[in-house]
Amino acid sequence: MPRENAALFFSAPDRRPKKVVNPMSSKTSVPSQPQGKNFAAGSEAKSPPTTHVMPTYARQDVVFERGEGVWLIATDGERYLDFASGVAVNSLGHAHPKLIAALTEQAGKLWHTSNLYRVAGQEKLSDRLCKAAPFADKIFFCNSGAEACEGAIKTARRYHFANGHPERTRIITFKGAFHGRTLATIAAAGNEKYLEGFGEPAPGFDVLPFGDHEALQKAIGDTTAAIMIEPVQGEGGIRPVPIQCLKGLRELCDKHGLLLIFDEVQCGVGRTGKLFAHEWAGVTPDIMAIAKGIGGGFPVGAFMASAEAAKGMVPGTHGSTFGGNPLAMAVGNAVLDEVLAPGFLDHVQKVALRFKQQLAALKDEFPDMIEEVRGSGLLMGVRFKASTPSGDVVKACTTEKFLTVGAGDNVVRVMPPLNITEAEIGEAVVRLSKALKRVAADQAKAKAGA
């Protein structure tokens, strides 16, 4: 990840960005981006408070101070139904008592030692994950999905190096993917919006059109190391890869001596109703990246690999200061306790089916707005017609105290906690319906005033 620039010890012109002086204050402040409506409150936004936080997010003007299950409570006391789940992170909702207990108990014992020593929690969690995902023999713990994907890429390249083929470094990926925000992972996804302004993209990636089998066949060459794909594209618009395609990728990799990497950062850890999304296809990867749900809100990531795929990852080839720390491992084990409990994944499948049925009924109610309902398990997306921008829907949902997340292909993501109830799903559909009526009314006004 990028490091801070070192200080200049010799005299030189100061070319650092200048702070902006706020004429209403004796303190300096950083410039803020202009904001439009305050959709969280449903009124015109006042000037945002002075903040030194980099404006890399177009944040909604609402601050949450606590959570209870599927609910978030803002500083003004308003309650929001949270179907964003921190972008598919809060797998057990907010303030889950068992996660609180695990974190609190560990916090009273030991926080951090580094990876210079054995960490009991790592050994326990890795054993459990490898039993749950039989393809995997080795795991490296990190802190985020981007780090997990970086590690997966390094593992694939190092495998070929260890086998005497250092030239095999290229990774085939697909448009619409999202693998993180590091220089390597934005190059892997090939999204021009994320690449702009950061120089030449990191080399070694062949980004192909999603679903183009002919292009895939042509892209495989002597320097190809692996194929990397999300079984369900998240930011790309909740696009599940067809089962036959995942099987085809496995066959291609076996035929050409490539490694198959699954990025299950968003779709893994029970999100689709199986512990891992690839289980629905009956295929296994050689390497897999996970994060988000395994921490239930605490920063945890990992990449998992077969013993053969991990053969090149010897001492000194990779590292992480904070990865796999005792706090993270305590929470990860507690999450796994719940997700692997008898009946838990059956519950996810049951409520997911109910949710999909209610979203389909909503499509019938708003045929001029909704194009398609798609997804897998509780990783659902509602794709809107071009006349209804998904951003407008997200904002209207927030006005109705219902939190959702936008995605590519004009999709709104709805990703509730995995322990959601049918009653809470029903409430979500009611609020989404109200939001769509609000958008429709705004569209009618705009049309009448044109």
Side-chain angles (χ1 to χ4, degrees):
M1 298 178 67
R3 296 182 178 180
E4 295 179 354
N5 292 329
L8 296 176
F9 293 104
F10 301 97
S11 63
D14 187 355
R15 296 187 177 90
R16 293 173 297 174
K18 303 298 183 182
K19 291 184 177 181
V20 177
V21 177
N22 183 346
M24 302 299 293
S25 170
S26 60
K27 295 183 178 181
T28 58
S29 65
V30 296
S32 300
Q33 290 182 326
Q35 295 189 4
K37 287 188 176 181
N38 177 356
F39 291 97
S43 61
E44 292 297 323
K46 56 183 180 296
S47 297
T50 298
T51 175
H52 293 283
V53 176
M54 278 193 182
T56 56
Y57 288 92
R59 302 175 192 264
Q60 298 191 53
D61 189 17
V62 58
V63 178
F64 298 109
E65 62 180 7
R66 59 191 176 93
E68 300 170 353
V70 73
W71 296 94
L72 278 171
I73 297 91
T75 51
D76 62 1
E78 292 283 358
R79 296 172 63 87
Y80 291 72
L81 188 61
D82 183 11
F83 272 49
S85 296
V87 193
V89 167
N90 301 104
S91 48
L92 300 178
H94 300 283
H96 191 281
K98 291 188 178 180
L99 300 194
I100 292 173
L103 183 59
T104 303
E105 180 182 356
Q106 184 59 51
K109 295 178 180 179
L110 183 66
W111 289 28
H112 181 75
T113 61
S114 85
N115 284 299
L116 297 176
Y117 317 98
R118 290 175 57 190
V119 179
Q122 285 190 32
E123 295 176 7
K124 179 181 178 180
L125 185 54
S126 63
D127 287 348
R128 299 177 72 192
L129 285 171
C130 285
K131 287 178 182 177
F135 84 90
D137 303 298
K138 302 293 181 183
I139 297 180
F140 183 98
F141 290 105
C142 51
N143 310 285
S144 67
E147 291 173 72
C149 288
E150 282 263 358
I153 292 166
K154 289 180 69 175
T155 301
R157 290 175 173 173
R158 185 75 186 184
Y159 165 78
H160 291 289
F161 175 87
N163 280 347
H165 294 284
E167 75 282 359
R168 301 191 75 169
T169 59
R170 301 198 69 81
I171 313 289
I172 292 174
T173 57
F174 300 91
K175 291 182 178 178
F178 182 81
H179 300 300
R181 296 288 194 127
T182 65
L183 289 174
T185 53
I186 59 175
N191 186 325
E192 293 182 2
K193 178 177 66 175
Y194 297 148
L195 288 166
E196 183 182 21
F198 296 110
E200 289 295 321
F205 300 98
D206 297 309
V207 186
L208 307 182
F210 185 82
D212 191 331
H213 298 161
E214 184 177 349
L216 175 59
Q217 292 279 0
K218 291 180 178 179
I220 297 174
D222 294 338
T223 60
T224 306
I227 297 174
M228 184 175 186
I229 193 167
E230 299 164 275
V232 182
Q233 282 196 344
E235 183 162 308
I238 311 297
R239 296 195 291 183
V241 179
I243 287 176
Q244 65 269 25
C245 291
L246 290 178
K247 290 182 176 179
L249 290 176
R250 179 71 272 174
E251 292 171 2
L252 269 179
C253 287
D254 292 342
K255 178 181 178 181
H256 295 281
L258 312 179
L259 297 183
L260 180 59
I261 304 171
F262 285 158
D263 175 354
E264 293 221 19
V265 168
Q266 187 162 151
C267 63
V269 195
R271 177 58 54 184
T272 67
K274 298 281 189 183
L275 184 61
F276 298 113
H278 67 262
E279 294 178 47
W280 291 105
V283 300
T284 55
D286 301 293
I287 307 170
M288 180 170 67
I290 64 171
K292 289 186 181 285
I294 189 61
F298 198 93
V300 184
F303 54 95
M304 310 166 63
S306 67
E308 176 65 14
K311 67 191 297 182
M313 300 303 284
V314 297
T317 55
H318 198 56
S320 171
T321 298
F322 295 107
N325 66 76
L327 294 173
M329 296 299 94
V331 176
N333 274 299
V335 168
L336 212 56
D337 286 343
E338 295 300 299
V339 175
L340 293 182
F344 185 91
L345 293 175
D346 291 336
H347 166 79
V348 174
Q349 294 179 30
K350 178 183 176 182
V351 295
L353 177 60
R354 180 64 174 161
F355 192 24
K356 191 170 186 178
Q357 290 170 341
Q358 293 193 35
L359 290 175
L362 206 62
K363 179 180 181 296
D364 294 336
E365 183 182 353
F366 297 94
D368 295 332
M369 301 176 74
I370 297 177
E371 181 72 33
E372 179 186 5
V373 174
R374 62 196 190 194
S376 180
L378 290 175
L379 183 58
M380 297 299 298
V382 181
R383 183 181 176 219
F384 289 89
K385 297 186 176 182
S387 58
T388 302
S390 60
D392 291 352
V393 177
V394 170
K395 293 170 184 175
C397 285
T398 304
T399 301
E400 296 297 335
K401 308 297 185 291
F402 176 52
L403 302 179
T404 58
V405 183
D409 205 21
N410 208 32
V411 165
V412 171
R413 282 178 279 184
V414 277
M415 306 169 289
L418 304 184
N419 52 357
I420 194 81
T421 67
E422 289 195 23
E424 289 164 339
I425 281 176
E427 178 63 23
V429 174
V430 168
R431 295 188 183 212
L432 180 54
S433 178
K434 290 180 179 179
L436 294 182
K437 290 175 182 176
R438 181 183 294 273
V439 173
D442 289 343
Q443 291 176 339
K445 289 180 182 177
K447 187 175 181 180

